[in-house]
Amino acid sequence: DIQMTQSPSSLSASVGDRVTITCRASQSISNYLNWYQQKPGKAPKFLIYAASSLQSGVPSRFSGSGSGTDFTLTISSLQPEDFATYYCQQSYDSPTAFGGGTKVEI
Amino acid sequence: QITLKESGPTLVKPTQTLTLTCSFSGFSLNTTKVGVGWIRQPPGKALEWLAVIYWDDDRRYSPSLKNRLTITKDTSKNYVVLTMTNVDPVDTGTYFCAHSMSRGSGTYYDPWGQGILVTVSS
């Protein structure tokens, strides 16, 4: 099974900061990588498909990149509503798998 | 607009069987490339994928839970059922169902239901 590792597990940042979250797959997954945002007490929200395709309605300050085993989610200018936990998910092979999450805190 | 909602017991005793229902609207499980998945989240922990059922009745399970899980669908009534046998306190958590879509670069889950918190305790 493919394992997904995110780093860091948590980070502290301020409004306006540029934030980068890393996701690494245990083997190559091409660009079969999705990103989700989860706020406390809420269901995850789908942000990015296929490593870099921003979903409709997602602010352009979010971007994704990478292929193979290494991927990044970048928030160019952190906004108050962006404080949340972010998860990556590989869909290259079954079973799908989520990363351990990265909590973005103030 | 696609919506999903989980229902079922919020308290289950160890060794019992947990049955959760995902009722949905806004899409059909007869549509090619569409599925419904289940994902859970223990309190304060990460998401854990459990199972998915697709439009063509293909079913996939988490290898670590495969022997305890069964996923079924009722396409005419728009619901999916997940059954988990022999539950244990470690199965405590929020259980989400989600609409899945398969495209050229994989499958994603969007949107998700609100989740249901299930506690396993005697």
Side-chain angles (χ1 to χ4, degrees):
Chain A
D1 297 353
I2 298 173
Q3 311 299 321
M4 307 302 294
T5 303
Q6 287 184 235
S7 61
S9 57
S10 66
L11 65 90
S12 296
S14 300
V15 173
D17 284 354
R18 181 182 182 89
V19 168
T20 299
I21 297 168
T22 297
C23 177
R24 176 164 290 174
S26 58
Q27 65 185 72
S28 178
I29 59 171
S30 184
N31 69 332
Y32 287 55
L33 191 283
N34 303 318
W35 289 98
Y36 300 82
Q37 174 195 65
Q38 186 181 33
K39 296 182 179 179
K42 299 294 186 182
K45 174 187 174 184
F46 181 44
L47 295 180
I48 291 175
Y49 166 75
S52 61
S53 294
L54 213 61
Q55 292 311 289
S56 174
V58 176
S60 59
R61 61 181 179 272
F62 289 90
S63 64
S65 65
S67 66
T69 60
D70 295 323
F71 302 86
T72 59
L73 172 68
T74 300
I75 308 171
S76 60
S77 178
L78 199 64
Q79 297 302 300
E81 60 267 31
D82 301 336
F83 290 95
T85 300
Y86 294 85
Y87 293 93
C88 60
Q89 175 224 351
Q90 71 82 13
S91 62
Y92 180 79
D93 195 15
S94 183
T96 188
F98 291 90
T102 296
K103 185 174 184 179
V104 177
E105 302 176 292
I106 300 173
Chain B
Q1 179 192 4
I2 292 175
T3 63
L4 306 98
K5 187 173 183 179
E6 307 84 354
S7 61
T10 56
L11 179 63
V12 186
K13 289 181 167 51
T15 75
Q16 288 186 338
T17 295
L18 170 65
T19 300
L20 295 173
T21 300
C22 176
S23 302
F24 60 84
S25 63
F27 69 96
S28 170
L29 257 179
N30 279 325
T31 303
T32 302
K33 307 292 187 184
V34 167
V36 171
W38 286 92
I39 303 98
R40 72 177 179 181
Q41 185 171 40
K45 296 189 177 181
L47 302 171
E48 179 186 12
W49 178 80
L50 300 178
V52 64
I53 188 165
Y54 293 108
W55 83 99
D56 59 356
D57 211 34
D58 183 21
R59 308 169 197 205
R60 304 296 175 101
Y61 296 99
S62 166
S64 63
L65 293 166
K66 182 175 184 178
N67 292 337
R68 298 172 52 209
L69 295 176
T70 303
I71 189 168
T72 60
K73 62 182 172 74
D74 187 320
T75 303
S76 63
K77 295 182 180 178
N78 285 354
Y79 66 80
V80 169
V81 174
L82 180 74
T83 301
M84 176 182 288
T85 61
N86 192 27
V87 297
D88 181 89
V90 300
D91 296 313
T92 293
T94 298
Y95 287 71
F96 298 97
C97 64
H99 167 266
S100 98
M101 191 69 194
S102 298
R103 288 160 58 181
S105 290
T107 299
Y108 59 86
Y109 290 95
D110 179 53
W112 297 48
Q114 65 187 25
I116 181 170
L117 176 59
V118 177
T119 301
V120 181
S121 173
S122 55

